[in-house]
Amino acid sequence: MYRYIRGQLEEIEASSIVVEAAGVGYNLIVSNQTLNTIPQIGQEVKIYTYLAVREDAMVLYGFCNKDELNVFKCLIGVNGVGPKVAIGILSAMTTNEIRFAIAAKDNKAISKAPGIGPKTAQRIILELQDKLKLEDALENNLDNNTASKNNVQMGQIKEDAILALNALGFSSTEALNAVSKVVITEGMESDDVLKAALKYM
C-alpha cells in the first residue's frame, strides 16, 4: 500500500518515529539500525515502509533503506518469524551481519536477537541461505575498491583472509564482518587484508 513516506521527522521514540507528510502524521515502528541513521527532529526523511495487517490492527514498519526492507521481508517469510521478531533481529544485527551469520551458519549470532531460539535461528539459516547471500554483503563494501582486480581474484583474497582469521580463533561471523570492512586496493594480497581486518576485530 505504501512504498515509502517522505516528510518531516516529528517524533523519535525508543522503537518508533513519527513522520508528517501532507498533513498526516505516520507512526512507524523501526529498528535500531534505522534509529541510528535518521536525522534530527525537524529535518526531512525518506522512510521505506511495510504495512502489516492483523485481525486487530494495522502496523506500519519503517526502514532507512531498501536493503533493510528487503531483509525484513525475507525474515518474515520464515515460518515462526513475524514482523515484531524481524524488527528485533534488525535491531540486534545489521543487514550485513545477518548475511555473515547465515553464510557462516552461525546459530549463536542470530540467537542473540530477542525472541530467537536456536531452532528458529537454524530455520532462518536454512531458509534464507539462498536469498541473503554473502556476495551481496561484500558488494556493499566494494565502492571504494579499485576496479582492476576482478571479482574472482578479490573473492579468493577475501576467502583466504577469512580462513586465516578462523585459524587464529575468530568465529566465521567475526571474520566475515571484519574482512568486509577492508578496502582492498591495487597490489594487496590476502596477508595484507588479514592485517587490515585484524584492526576491526
Side-chain angles (χ1 to χ4, degrees):
M1 183 175 180
Y2 302 105
R3 177 62 174 171
Y4 64 83
I5 295 175
R6 186 195 300 273
Q8 183 170 296
L9 183 61
E10 294 291 339
E11 296 179 20
I12 300 177
E13 301 293 341
S15 60
S16 66
I17 61 174
V18 174
V19 178
E20 182 179 335
V24 178
Y26 295 90
N27 185 71
L28 301 108
I29 305 299
V30 297
S31 69
N32 290 339
Q33 201 169 160
T34 291
L35 285 174
N36 291 334
T37 59
I38 58 175
Q40 295 180 341
I41 290 176
Q43 297 187 21
E44 184 179 85
V45 293
K46 180 180 180 180
I47 303 294
Y48 292 90
T49 59
Y50 179 89
L51 180 63
V53 180
R54 306 195 311 244
E55 292 183 0
D56 58 342
M58 291 191 296
V59 182
L60 198 58
Y61 292 87
F63 309 91
C64 58
N65 53 49
K66 290 182 180 179
D67 184 48
E68 190 187 13
L69 171 60
N70 291 335
V71 172
F72 174 83
K73 288 180 177 179
C74 288
L75 288 170
I76 62 175
V78 176
N79 185 34
V81 179
K84 184 177 180 179
V85 172
I87 282 290
I89 297 173
L90 287 166
S91 289
M93 310 171 70
T94 67
T95 53
N96 278 353
E97 286 171 344
I98 292 170
R99 290 187 175 95
F100 298 149
I102 290 173
K105 295 180 172 56
D106 191 343
N107 287 19
K108 291 183 179 179
I110 299 176
S111 296
K112 291 179 181 178
I116 297 295
K119 290 184 178 180
T120 302
Q122 182 62 37
R123 192 180 305 120
I124 289 173
I125 291 171
L126 291 174
E127 294 189 23
L128 299 185
Q129 58 187 352
D130 293 329
K131 296 180 180 179
L132 296 179
K133 297 181 179 180
L134 176 61
E135 289 80 2
D136 296 331
L138 296 177
E139 286 176 5
N140 290 339
N141 297 279
L142 295 182
D143 292 341
N144 296 323
N145 291 342
T146 60
S148 58
K149 287 185 179 292
N150 60 52
N151 290 336
V152 174
Q153 182 182 4
M154 187 176 295
Q156 186 61 55
I157 290 173
K158 287 177 177 288
E159 183 177 345
D160 290 344
I162 289 168
L163 291 174
L165 287 170
N166 288 156
L168 291 173
F170 296 104
S171 72
S172 296
T173 300
E174 291 172 329
L176 289 166
N177 195 8
V179 169
S180 74
K181 295 177 181 178
V182 177
V183 176
I184 300 179
T185 57
E186 183 68 22
M188 289 182 70
E189 300 298 337
S190 56
D191 287 345
D192 301 312
V193 176
L194 171 61
K195 292 176 183 178
L198 284 170
K199 297 178 182 178
Y200 296 103
M201 304 305 291

